[in-house]
Amino acid sequence: MKRIIISHLLIALLLWLPGSLRAEATAVADSLADNTAAGFYVGLHPGMPMSTANFSSFGADKFRPGWTAGIYGGYRLNSIWSFELTGAWGQQFMAERSCCIDKDYFLGTDGKRYKFIPEGTAGEYYNNLKSRIFVQRYGVQANMNVLGFFKATKDSPWRAEISPALYAAGTNTDILRKSDNSIFAENMSSWHLGLGVNAQASYAVSETLSVGLYAGMTHFTGKPIDSMPLLHVTNCVIDAGVKITVNLGRK
């Protein structure tokens, strides 16, 4: 009798264990998916900005890329939506476009642009000037992961996000002479409102670490970021770089 009872208990145990293990495995998998889909995160985003205003990073004489170092922190609501705060600091470099050389523009020490130079006016021709701009930028952006809309890729380690953003940016500009890098005008400061959109792709290397690339464009309102006399209506920054994200988990 005892042998019969023990054998029945062993059979019941064997029947119970696989289901229990499957349930446990499912619970663990769900927990991991939930932790990677929702929670706080922080990160770094070094990049290479390129600017266009009256002057341009795509100058008539050569290409002048800038640099930026940024940080961000945010909260991921689910596999589709996340929101983050960003801050970035760096420099941008710009010089005359080809049209400025063709028209032989001249910048007076009075800050005005001349095509026909009044007698006795001191200054420099545009083709001997360049801008060096220190930029600080603070913003908020929403990230929409388009892969999260599809069942097959909702829990994928890949993310492909479109991110509208709003920024407040401060610029401090020096205008230099190309010939000897001497200061023509300096410390011209202004603040701008920036409206932009970014696209970014990232891959989760582990549960806590993701790496990716981003690119975006931001239009700035207000004065030209290069502090040159208004000539062109463009006043934007094209930015591209790397994003390194550390997931902190749900709080």
Side-chain angles (χ1 to χ4, degrees), residues 55 61 64 95-97 100-101 104-106 124-130 178-179:
F55 278 1
D61 56 346
R64 292 178 170 84
E96 83 290 343
R97 306 190 198 188
C100 301
I101 297 177
D104 212 24
Y105 285 133
F106 183 89
E124 292 284 352
Y125 284 98
Y126 271 35
N127 62 358
N128 191 37
L129 295 174
K130 59 183 179 180
K178 291 182 186 177
S179 56

Short mmCIF file of all heavy atoms in Angstrom, two decimals, residues 55 61 64 95-97 100-101 104-106 124-130 178-179:
data_model
loop_
_atom_site.label_atom_id
_atom_site.label_comp_id
_atom_site.label_asym_id
_atom_site.label_seq_id
_atom_site.Cartn_x
_atom_site.Cartn_y
_atom_site.Cartn_z
N PHE A 55 26.68 82.24 -42.43
CA PHE A 55 27.81 81.39 -42.75
C PHE A 55 27.35 79.94 -42.68
O PHE A 55 26.21 79.65 -42.33
CB PHE A 55 28.95 81.63 -41.76
CG PHE A 55 29.81 82.84 -42.09
CD1 PHE A 55 29.55 83.65 -43.18
CD2 PHE A 55 30.89 83.16 -41.27
CE1 PHE A 55 30.33 84.74 -43.47
CE2 PHE A 55 31.69 84.25 -41.55
CZ PHE A 55 31.42 85.05 -42.64
N ASP A 61 35.35 77.29 -48.83
CA ASP A 61 36.74 76.84 -48.89
C ASP A 61 36.94 75.43 -48.36
O ASP A 61 37.76 74.68 -48.88
CB ASP A 61 37.65 77.82 -48.13
CG ASP A 61 37.21 78.02 -46.68
OD1 ASP A 61 36.10 77.62 -46.33
OD2 ASP A 61 38.02 78.57 -45.90
N ARG A 64 33.77 72.36 -42.17
CA ARG A 64 34.18 72.62 -40.79
C ARG A 64 33.19 71.97 -39.81
O ARG A 64 32.26 72.60 -39.35
CB ARG A 64 34.23 74.14 -40.53
CG ARG A 64 35.34 74.86 -41.27
CD ARG A 64 35.27 76.36 -40.99
NE ARG A 64 36.44 77.05 -41.48
CZ ARG A 64 36.60 77.47 -42.73
NH1 ARG A 64 35.63 77.25 -43.62
NH2 ARG A 64 37.70 78.08 -43.11
N ALA A 95 31.95 79.29 -41.94
CA ALA A 95 32.61 80.30 -42.77
C ALA A 95 31.70 80.63 -43.95
O ALA A 95 30.61 80.08 -44.09
CB ALA A 95 33.97 79.81 -43.23
N GLU A 96 32.19 81.52 -44.82
CA GLU A 96 31.36 82.07 -45.88
C GLU A 96 30.93 81.01 -46.88
O GLU A 96 31.63 80.03 -47.14
CB GLU A 96 32.11 83.19 -46.61
CG GLU A 96 33.08 82.75 -47.70
CD GLU A 96 34.32 82.05 -47.14
OE1 GLU A 96 34.60 82.19 -45.94
OE2 GLU A 96 35.01 81.37 -47.93
N ARG A 97 29.74 81.23 -47.45
CA ARG A 97 29.27 80.41 -48.55
C ARG A 97 29.82 80.97 -49.85
O ARG A 97 30.31 82.09 -49.91
CB ARG A 97 27.75 80.39 -48.58
CG ARG A 97 27.08 79.99 -47.28
CD ARG A 97 25.59 79.79 -47.52
NE ARG A 97 24.82 79.81 -46.29
CZ ARG A 97 23.53 79.51 -46.23
NH1 ARG A 97 22.88 79.19 -47.34
NH2 ARG A 97 22.88 79.55 -45.08
N CYS A 100 28.61 84.41 -50.98
CA CYS A 100 29.19 85.59 -50.32
C CYS A 100 30.47 86.03 -51.01
O CYS A 100 30.77 87.23 -51.06
CB CYS A 100 29.48 85.28 -48.85
SG CYS A 100 28.02 84.79 -47.91
N ILE A 101 31.22 85.06 -51.52
CA ILE A 101 32.45 85.40 -52.25
C ILE A 101 32.10 86.00 -53.59
O ILE A 101 32.69 87.00 -54.02
CB ILE A 101 33.32 84.14 -52.43
CG1 ILE A 101 33.76 83.62 -51.06
CG2 ILE A 101 34.53 84.44 -53.30
CD1 ILE A 101 34.57 82.34 -51.12
N ASP A 104 31.20 89.48 -53.15
CA ASP A 104 32.28 90.30 -52.58
C ASP A 104 31.81 91.09 -51.36
O ASP A 104 32.12 92.28 -51.23
CB ASP A 104 32.83 91.24 -53.66
CG ASP A 104 34.31 91.51 -53.45
OD1 ASP A 104 34.99 90.68 -52.83
OD2 ASP A 104 34.80 92.56 -53.91
N TYR A 105 31.09 90.43 -50.45
CA TYR A 105 30.59 91.12 -49.27
C TYR A 105 31.72 91.51 -48.33
O TYR A 105 32.75 90.83 -48.22
CB TYR A 105 29.58 90.24 -48.52
CG TYR A 105 28.23 90.15 -49.20
CD1 TYR A 105 27.61 88.91 -49.36
CD2 TYR A 105 27.58 91.29 -49.65
CE1 TYR A 105 26.36 88.82 -49.97
CE2 TYR A 105 26.34 91.21 -50.25
CZ TYR A 105 25.73 89.98 -50.41
OH TYR A 105 24.50 89.90 -51.02
N PHE A 106 31.47 92.60 -47.60
CA PHE A 106 32.45 93.17 -46.68
C PHE A 106 31.76 93.42 -45.34
O PHE A 106 30.64 93.93 -45.29
CB PHE A 106 32.97 94.50 -47.26
CG PHE A 106 34.04 95.17 -46.44
CD1 PHE A 106 35.38 94.89 -46.65
CD2 PHE A 106 33.70 96.13 -45.48
CE1 PHE A 106 36.36 95.53 -45.92
CE2 PHE A 106 34.67 96.77 -44.74
CZ PHE A 106 36.01 96.47 -44.95
N GLU A 124 36.63 93.64 -42.80
CA GLU A 124 37.23 92.54 -43.53
C GLU A 124 36.22 91.99 -44.54
O GLU A 124 35.01 92.01 -44.30
CB GLU A 124 37.62 91.39 -42.59
CG GLU A 124 38.77 91.69 -41.65
CD GLU A 124 40.13 91.65 -42.33
OE1 GLU A 124 40.19 91.23 -43.51
OE2 GLU A 124 41.12 92.03 -41.67
N TYR A 125 36.74 91.49 -45.67
CA TYR A 125 35.89 90.80 -46.62
C TYR A 125 35.46 89.44 -46.04
O TYR A 125 36.18 88.83 -45.24
CB TYR A 125 36.61 90.59 -47.95
CG TYR A 125 36.70 91.85 -48.77
CD1 TYR A 125 37.87 92.63 -48.74
CD2 TYR A 125 35.62 92.27 -49.56
CE1 TYR A 125 37.96 93.79 -49.49
CE2 TYR A 125 35.71 93.44 -50.30
CZ TYR A 125 36.87 94.20 -50.27
OH TYR A 125 36.95 95.37 -50.99
N TYR A 126 34.28 88.99 -46.43
CA TYR A 126 33.74 87.75 -45.90
C TYR A 126 34.70 86.57 -46.10
O TYR A 126 34.75 85.66 -45.27
CB TYR A 126 32.40 87.43 -46.58
CG TYR A 126 31.19 88.03 -45.90
CD1 TYR A 126 31.26 89.28 -45.28
CD2 TYR A 126 29.98 87.36 -45.88
CE1 TYR A 126 30.15 89.84 -44.66
CE2 TYR A 126 28.86 87.90 -45.27
CZ TYR A 126 28.95 89.14 -44.66
OH TYR A 126 27.84 89.68 -44.04
N ASN A 127 35.42 86.55 -47.22
CA ASN A 127 36.27 85.39 -47.50
C ASN A 127 37.49 85.31 -46.58
O ASN A 127 38.26 84.35 -46.68
CB ASN A 127 36.70 85.35 -48.96
CG ASN A 127 37.54 86.56 -49.35
OD1 ASN A 127 37.78 87.45 -48.54
ND2 ASN A 127 37.99 86.59 -50.60
N ASN A 128 37.65 86.29 -45.68
CA ASN A 128 38.74 86.22 -44.70
C ASN A 128 38.19 86.08 -43.28
O ASN A 128 38.91 86.31 -42.30
CB ASN A 128 39.65 87.45 -44.78
CG ASN A 128 40.92 87.27 -43.95
OD1 ASN A 128 41.49 86.18 -43.89
ND2 ASN A 128 41.36 88.33 -43.29
N LEU A 129 36.91 85.69 -43.16
CA LEU A 129 36.30 85.59 -41.83
C LEU A 129 35.71 84.19 -41.60
O LEU A 129 35.31 83.50 -42.55
CB LEU A 129 35.19 86.64 -41.68
CG LEU A 129 35.61 88.10 -41.71
CD1 LEU A 129 34.39 89.00 -41.70
CD2 LEU A 129 36.54 88.44 -40.54
N LYS A 130 35.64 83.83 -40.34
CA LYS A 130 34.99 82.58 -39.93
C LYS A 130 34.40 82.78 -38.54
O LYS A 130 34.82 83.66 -37.79
CB LYS A 130 35.97 81.42 -39.95
CG LYS A 130 37.17 81.60 -39.03
CD LYS A 130 38.15 80.44 -39.17
CE LYS A 130 39.37 80.64 -38.25
NZ LYS A 130 40.32 79.51 -38.37
N LYS A 178 40.65 84.52 -40.81
CA LYS A 178 41.26 83.26 -41.24
C LYS A 178 42.78 83.36 -41.32
O LYS A 178 43.48 82.39 -41.05
CB LYS A 178 40.72 82.85 -42.62
CG LYS A 178 39.29 82.41 -42.64
CD LYS A 178 38.94 82.00 -44.07
CE LYS A 178 37.47 81.70 -44.22
NZ LYS A 178 37.14 81.36 -45.62
N SER A 179 43.26 84.51 -41.71
CA SER A 179 44.69 84.65 -41.98
C SER A 179 45.56 84.36 -40.77
O SER A 179 46.62 83.74 -40.88
CB SER A 179 44.99 86.05 -42.53
OG SER A 179 44.51 87.04 -41.61
#
